[in-house]
């Protein structure tokens, strides 16, 4: 059992994708290693009461530089974000750590601030270092709004991690390849492992979520936020296309959009041919609601390359729910490969005709296949976090 110094800006009870992944990981990892978690203190003031850091984890929570008001803090964060990681002020407050108290350093992002702080800890301790990336950092295709200075600083921080971390972890082969191409002389492949997100099957029955139901209607649900390039438009355009050709086909269909909707997308929901239910769930409620939905919708942002390098954590939750899935995502990439492996249909966000076909198939004959059952078994937290624990043990 190793003494692990873990660095993650996000942690439970904050309810976002990274904090949820940290929580699910700690639930297993804390039984296999002794964990000290360095994280951001303010998030403990609010969040999902169901998501608590396991009692066996020693938490070292510290704050960033404080401001007189939340507004001034937000302004400072945005200004810093023009030049550096938004959470840099937190990363610069390095806790006093004794090398003799730990065996291995383990950092995970996003945000990149987690790795920036871990880099400072590595400089002090020279501990074996395992760095895990949930998304690309400097080469994230959806960060085109970043300034040149910000991009250069991200690359500088990232290069240090790539050069000095003993082991690198990526969620998809595509993201691993991004780093191999970006750092061809750094032996990235020989120090890398692909570990996907994982499913905690016991969590699906903890909370009994109430889902919208109408007599004789099937509920097709999307869980997550719409923002930036991730838009509900491809789904809604396909629904309108089906209605124009055959209005009766949607008579027994209702759509659930459960998450935040950026204001710019609100007009898209007007004058739709189907009933759309809106709302939000806590994480555990969402797992229950997934199980109760007739079908699940994955909607990813389009990518100019035609390849989706990302693996949305909700896709793994969908697979764990063992419901039929329509993947509105690029037809190349890990997400598409997993869906096909489970016998599910995939359509590019730009291909409305294919989305129409996928919706019609989901409505008419969507079912859980034995292939989906087997796929879910390969993503259990015990299996995936077990691999992580072995990696930390060898570090």
């Amino acid at each position: 059992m190793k003494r692990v110094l873990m660095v993650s800006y996000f942690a439970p009870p904050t309810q976002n994708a990274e904090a949820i992944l940290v929580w699910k990981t700690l639930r297993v990892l804390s039984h296999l290693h002794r964990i000290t978690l360095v994280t951001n203190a303010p998030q403990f003031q609010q969040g999902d009461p169901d998501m608590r850091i396991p009692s066996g984890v020693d938490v070292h929570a510290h704050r960033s530089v404080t401001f007189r008001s939340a507004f001034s803090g937000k302004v400072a964060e945005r200004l810093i974000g023009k030049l550096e990681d938004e959470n840099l002020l937190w990363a610069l407050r390095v806790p006093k750590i004794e090398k003799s108290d730990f065996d291995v350093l383990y950092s995970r992002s996003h945000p990149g601030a987690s790795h920036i702080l871990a880099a400072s800890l590595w400089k002090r301790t020279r501990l074996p270092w395992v760095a895990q990336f949930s998304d690309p950092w400097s080469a994230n295709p959806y960060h085109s709004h970043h300034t040149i200075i910000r991009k250069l600083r991200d690359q500088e921080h990232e290069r240090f991690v790539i050069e000095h971390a003993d082991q690198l972890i990526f969620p998809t082969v595509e993201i691993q390849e991004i780093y191999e191409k970006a750092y061809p002389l750094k032996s990235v492949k020989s120090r890398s492992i692909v570990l996907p997100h994982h499913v905690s099957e016991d969590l699906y029955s903890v909370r009994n979520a109430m889902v919208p139901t109408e007599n004789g209607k099937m509920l097709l649900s999307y869980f997550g936020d719409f923002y930036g390039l991730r838009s509900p438009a491809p789904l809604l355009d396909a629904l309108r296309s089906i209605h124009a050709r055959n209005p009766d086909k949607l008579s027994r269909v209702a759509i659930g959009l459960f998450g935040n909707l950026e204001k710019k997308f609100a007009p898209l929901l007007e004058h739709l041919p189907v009933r759309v239910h809106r709302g939000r769930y806590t994480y555990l409620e969402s797992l229950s609601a997934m199980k109760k939905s007739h079908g699940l919708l994955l909607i990813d942002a389009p990518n100019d390359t035609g390849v989706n390098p990302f693996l949305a954590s909700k896709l793994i939750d969908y697979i764990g729910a063992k419901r039929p899935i329509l993947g509105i995502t690029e037809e190349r990439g890990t997400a598409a490969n997993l869906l096909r492996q489970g016998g599910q249909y995939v359509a590019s966000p730009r291909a409305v005709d294919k989305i129409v076909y996928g919706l019609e198939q989901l409505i008419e004959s969507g079912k859980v296949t034995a292939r989906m059952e087997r796929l879910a078994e390969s993503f259990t937290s015990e299996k995936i976090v077990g691999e992580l624990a072995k990696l930390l043990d060898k570090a």
Side-chain angles (χ1 to χ4, degrees), residues 60-116:
H60 190 127
H62 70 282
R63 295 177 178 272
S64 177
V65 175
T66 56
F67 294 87
R68 291 184 178 181
S69 68
F71 175 76
S72 57
K74 284 290 184 184
V75 171
E77 184 179 287
R78 289 190 177 186
L79 290 175
I80 291 170
K82 299 290 185 182
L83 307 174
E84 275 278 8
D85 189 283
E86 291 85 353
N87 302 295
L88 180 70
L89 295 180
W90 173 82
L92 293 179
R93 297 193 67 185
V94 184
K96 294 181 180 179
I97 296 294
E98 296 294 333
K99 177 180 180 180
S100 58
D101 291 336
F102 299 97
D103 301 308
V104 60
L105 174 63
Y106 167 48
S107 59
R108 54 178 301 142
S109 65
H110 75 288
S114 299
H115 292 318
I116 296 172

